[in-house]
Amino acid sequence: MKQVAKYVLLTLVAALAGFLLGFRHAERTVGAGSTIFAQMLALSQYETLANLQYQEADAAHATQAQLDLVKFMQQLEARQTIAVPRAFNYERAQALMHLALLSEQAGNDEAFQQYLHDAQKSLDDVDQKWYSEEAMRKFITVADTQFKSGSPECACPSRPQKAEERSSVSR
Amino acid sequence: MCAIGVVALAFGYGVGFGTSALRSVVESPLLANPAGSQDNFTGVFRGFNRLAAAEMAGGACDIPTNDYLSAEDSAIAAIQERAATASLNPPLDVARARLALRRARVAEKNNDLRLKTKYEEDAQQLLEKSGWKDSSPAHLRQIIYAIDSRENTCRPTTPNLDQPK
């Protein structure tokens, strides 16, 4: 009797341990892939609509769309673990640069500086570099050109133009 | 004794892996129901998943069928339903205009010119409402062509229908 109980207990413990191992493994492989896919899909679609508004609509509608995109990203970040932080921060920097340029066009220098700073901060968080205003302008120009032409290339500021090191730039 | 332990461990592993994988599949962008989400943000998030997936399928390889377009329509409706309560206001009229233009393409394919014109007029009105400087269907068609070329693994194959005129 004692022997049977021992076997049953061993089976249960081994099965439970296996279940936990299998569950965790699938979460880290299949689950992680699914999260990346979902975040990429949702963000790319939201961005496509917001960027179309930025490029085609009047300033008021364009600003509204970009502000909304930033808000969506904030809520996403608050609720989910961002699967690819580098891509996410680059995309946020693009939206913030759009807002900076729209503020500049509206003659609102204070808002321009704030959005520019936020965009620089977003890239600083992943690249550990504080890009200059000029580099940020080139970055957004390249990104917008690629969006218009349909090129899938990354508009990373470090590739087309030289990034300035944090230490060399006074904030 | 040892063999029983190994078999039980392997069985548990299989069941655990399967359970977790099944959960991921059910919650995947293509299957998760936006309307079934508990909070409004997740509803919007899943709605955008669905919209993106339907849009990719609708724009890919010249196969915009009514199935994909209906999926796109219901995704837009699901987002609309939850967006305001999630304090979001995405430019859904642009998505509706894009959908109308895709429907115009299908109507053109079916030689239904009356319906094609109607969808194009709908698209134009939606773009005007969205503040577009050039709200002409031809301009939107050009933009959609560029986006389809970028996002899809195969290019549109029917130049008369897909290329900007």
Side-chain angles (χ1 to χ4, degrees):
Chain A
M1 190 68 188
K2 251 186 175 179
Q3 188 75 355
V4 173
K6 222 169 152 187
Y7 278 122
V8 170
L9 188 66
L10 173 72
T11 308
L12 285 177
V13 169
L16 185 68
F19 183 88
L20 292 176
L21 277 173
F23 197 89
R24 289 278 296 175
H25 188 212
E27 233 175 22
R28 287 183 180 189
T29 51
V30 184
S34 179
T35 304
I36 292 173
F37 183 47
Q39 288 184 358
M40 274 179 60
L41 272 185
L43 258 180
S44 74
Q45 191 56 209
Y46 218 114
E47 270 176 351
T48 298
L49 297 178
N51 288 349
L52 281 175
Q53 282 296 81
Y54 174 74
Q55 299 205 337
E56 303 295 333
D58 56 46
H61 282 89
T63 305
Q64 164 65 39
Q66 293 298 318
L67 281 172
D68 196 70
L69 174 61
V70 172
K71 208 191 276 182
F72 177 78
M73 291 173 129
Q74 281 169 349
Q75 291 199 38
L76 182 64
E77 205 175 21
R79 282 174 168 80
Q80 297 181 17
T81 305
I82 300 302
V84 190
R86 187 176 159 83
F88 182 83
N89 278 32
Y90 267 72
E91 281 156 8
R92 178 165 46 201
Q94 282 182 22
L96 290 166
M97 275 311 291
H98 284 153
L99 286 167
L101 295 179
L102 285 163
S103 302
E104 188 182 41
Q105 281 165 23
N108 188 344
D109 190 54
E110 198 181 326
F112 167 75
Q113 292 297 341
Q114 184 59 52
Y115 285 128
L116 173 66
H117 179 273
D118 291 348
Q120 288 168 319
K121 171 86 177 60
S122 188
L123 294 188
D124 183 38
D125 287 346
V126 285
D127 283 355
Q128 315 302 320
K129 283 176 186 168
W130 194 263
Y131 294 103
S132 67
E133 182 184 328
E134 193 195 349
M136 294 303 286
R137 283 182 189 277
K138 280 182 185 168
F139 157 67
I140 198 62
T141 305
V142 171
D144 287 344
T145 308
Q146 287 175 351
F147 178 78
K148 264 189 176 170
S149 66
S151 163
E153 292 280 310
C154 169
C156 309
S158 50
R159 266 204 258 170
Q161 57 274 151
K162 284 179 188 169
E164 292 179 30
E165 292 299 328
R166 179 200 291 268
S167 57
S168 67
V169 180
S170 59
R171 295 192 189 189
Chain B
M1 182 123 175
C2 188
I4 290 176
V6 170
V7 169
L9 190 75
F11 178 76
Y13 181 89
V15 172
F17 193 94
T19 307
S20 180
L22 189 69
R23 197 186 65 161
S24 296
V25 169
V26 170
E27 288 179 1
S28 77
L30 305 179
L31 294 178
N33 181 8
S37 309
Q38 285 176 344
D39 72 291
N40 291 313
F41 176 80
T42 307
V44 173
F45 179 78
R46 287 183 174 172
F48 268 98
N49 279 168
R50 276 275 177 96
L51 179 61
E55 178 58 23
M56 278 167 76
C61 312
D62 197 26
I63 48 162
T65 65
N66 286 325
D67 287 346
Y68 295 120
L69 301 181
S70 299
E72 206 167 324
D73 202 11
S74 58
I76 293 170
I79 296 166
Q80 175 83 60
E81 203 177 291
R82 299 289 191 100
T85 36
S87 309
L88 293 169
N89 185 19
L92 289 179
D93 279 340
V94 179
R96 288 193 186 97
R98 185 179 58 187
L99 176 61
L101 209 76
R102 290 211 189 280
R103 286 194 159 136
R105 243 172 70 184
V106 175
E108 188 180 10
K109 222 174 180 179
N110 296 334
N111 291 319
D112 191 340
L113 292 181
R114 191 192 58 79
L115 199 59
K116 174 186 176 263
T117 310
K118 185 206 166 288
Y119 282 134
E120 285 182 347
E121 283 170 2
D122 287 351
Q124 186 154 8
Q125 279 174 11
L126 287 162
L127 295 181
E128 278 167 14
K129 213 170 116 188
S130 302
W132 279 39
K133 292 161 213 157
D134 181 354
S135 58
S136 68
H139 183 57
L140 181 59
R141 196 185 290 264
Q142 201 166 8
I143 290 167
I144 289 177
Y145 178 72
I147 292 173
D148 285 351
S149 304
R150 178 186 62 193
E151 290 187 350
N152 295 315
T153 48
C154 61
R155 301 207 165 230
T157 53
T158 316
N160 286 340
L161 292 177
D162 296 319
Q163 281 179 352
K165 290 178 179 173

